[in-house]
Amino acid sequence: MIVVMKVGSPEPEIARICEDLAGWGLNPEKIVGKHKVVIGLVGETAALDPLQIQEISPWIEEVLRVEKPYKRASREYRHGEPSDVVVQTPNGPVHFGEQQPISVVAGPCSVENESMIIETAKRVKAAGAQFLRGGAFKPRTSPYAFQGHGESALALLQAAKDATGLGIITELMDAADLDALAEVADVIQIGARNMQNFSLLKRVGAQGKPILLKRGMAATIEDWLMAAEYILAAGNPNVILCERGIRTFDSKYTRNTLDLSCIPVLRALTHLPIMIDPSHGTGRWEYVPAMARAAIAAGADSLMIEVHPNPAKALSDGPQSLTPERFDLLMQELAVFGQATGRWLPQVEMAVV
Ligand code: PEP
Ligand code: MN
């Protein structure tokens, strides 16, 4: 249920209403939008009469029920206003959201050694990316495949951050690694395989770093939003959704099927920012540029692109990784698309001229 306040509602009145609602055994959550304040109510609201709540104050414009199973993740919960997930990086704040410029996250699948991660960081920064993404802990299908260097790779990510000022995104697989990982990561990635690891979702919901939540490879959009709901319900409002391809009947020519139709669908259903990962989505570097362009055209808020200095020698996901040169070219191309949609960062334009 949400309580929509009239424009210009006095702050003490909003506080009084929240107190009143708390007295009814509810847990009111004040959400300050650009134009209006709304008060979110989740929990045992089924028996409540919206008209009775409306009576609390003449400053209440309307009281609406959120009919969907996900409440905090629903578009209605913010009364249609998109979230702006702001991440502080050494180079300054980066925004993820529908009304923000497109942000670009790039880097190798896994952090392999110091020189490769620093070189990659410098190259993707020069091309205009705002974040370096690299795995220290890798979820691999085979237990015999490279599993990532673990904690020692976190120090290498820190070195790359110190060298470039880029924000860092890296995946958390085990809650035991959270504290060490959160010291370096500006955004914590929860991978496709852990999208429904509910205890992990609760854990990252109870800490302060923003979460990049990848879509499970067989997850419906509703499963995905319910997973986001776990993080939001645990108290962390900063969730970015990342589509990375789903399993379909055809996997001969692409690794996954990149579901770009999720962009308009999510836009209608949720206020959360949307990132597209065409690297895992296709599994082939040759197909990444077309899908990145399409993602921008369809209204994505952010892109994640795998980049490796020598893809042929990569310890994981080489076939889908762009070389830094190819990434450079792609960013020049994307700038044209981004400018056409009015969503390209000025510093990215500068980096490519
Ligand atoms: C990754 O981002 O490198 C990764 C393992 O992604 P996903 O969880 O989407 O498979
Ligand atoms: Mn990968």
Side-chain angles (χ1 to χ4, degrees), residues 43-340:
E44 292 305 311
T45 57
L48 290 177
D49 179 357
L51 291 175
Q52 208 183 340
I53 295 178
Q54 181 102 41
E55 290 298 300
I56 297 177
S57 164
W59 285 99
I60 295 177
E61 186 171 286
E62 56 181 342
V63 181
L64 303 167
R65 275 195 194 285
V66 178
E67 305 288 353
K68 306 205 171 77
Y70 42 90
K71 308 288 180 193
R72 291 176 166 92
S74 73
R75 186 116 196 150
E76 294 90 323
Y77 200 69
R78 290 179 59 87
H79 205 47
E81 195 168 305
S83 291
D84 174 15
V85 174
V86 190
V87 184
Q88 301 300 335
T89 76
N91 290 340
V94 181
H95 295 255
F96 292 82
E98 184 183 341
Q99 290 164 356
Q100 305 300 329
I102 293 161
S103 51
V104 179
V105 175
C109 185
S110 32
V111 178
E112 297 175 4
N113 58 60
E114 183 161 3
S115 62
M116 74 79 79
I117 196 67
I118 290 184
E119 181 194 339
T120 311
K122 287 183 174 163
R123 296 295 301 267
V124 301
K125 181 191 177 186
Q130 291 83 39
F131 281 90
L132 175 71
R133 199 219 56 139
F137 303 95
K138 293 305 301 179
R140 304 304 302 279
T141 302
S142 165
Y144 311 119
F146 177 58
Q147 306 283 306
H149 288 306
E151 213 168 313
S152 66
L154 296 175
L156 304 184
L157 285 170
Q158 182 64 53
K161 183 179 189 169
D162 295 341
T164 59
L166 289 176
I168 298 292
I169 303 183
T170 194
E171 178 167 351
L172 178 72
M173 288 171 58
D174 188 328
D177 299 315
L178 176 58
D179 291 345
L181 193 135
E183 286 209 6
V184 179
D186 299 290
V187 175
I188 297 172
Q189 175 174 325
I190 298 295
R193 291 156 190 81
N194 271 318
M195 189 207 81
Q196 284 187 312
N197 180 339
F198 298 116
S199 55
L200 192 62
L201 298 179
K202 285 183 198 169
R203 187 70 189 79
V204 296
Q207 58 79 58
K209 289 280 161 89
I211 303 300
L212 176 61
L213 180 64
K214 294 191 104 180
R215 181 180 186 177
M217 55 191 80
T220 64
I221 285 182
E222 193 159 300
D223 293 337
W224 190 12
L225 290 173
M226 291 307 281
E229 188 81 9
Y230 266 88
I231 301 169
L232 301 172
N236 187 345
N238 295 312
V239 177
I240 301 158
L241 300 169
C242 179
E243 160 67 30
R244 45 76 74 203
I246 50 175
R247 284 269 168 93
T248 63
F249 57 87
D250 194 351
S251 57
K252 187 168 173 182
Y253 300 107
T254 55
R255 180 176 175 180
N256 291 295
T257 298
L258 186 65
D259 178 14
L260 287 181
S261 66
C262 80
I263 299 172
V265 174
L266 288 171
R267 202 57 100 200
L269 298 178
T270 182
H271 53 82
L272 297 173
I274 307 163
M275 179 186 288
I276 297 293
D277 168 2
S279 304
H280 294 85
T282 63
R284 297 280 300 268
W285 70 265
E286 298 94 317
Y287 305 146
V288 168
M291 290 295 93
R293 292 193 299 264
I296 290 182
D301 305 321
S302 179
L303 291 170
M304 174 188 287
I305 312 280
E306 282 193 339
V307 178
H308 191 286
N310 186 357
K313 293 256 167 72
L315 297 180
S316 57
D317 286 350
Q320 67 192 35
S321 300
L322 296 180
T323 59
E325 294 74 26
R326 290 192 172 114
F327 181 65
D328 241 352
L329 282 174
L330 174 62
M331 288 295 278
Q332 293 181 41
E333 226 187 334
L334 295 185
V336 176
F337 282 75
Q339 282 156 7

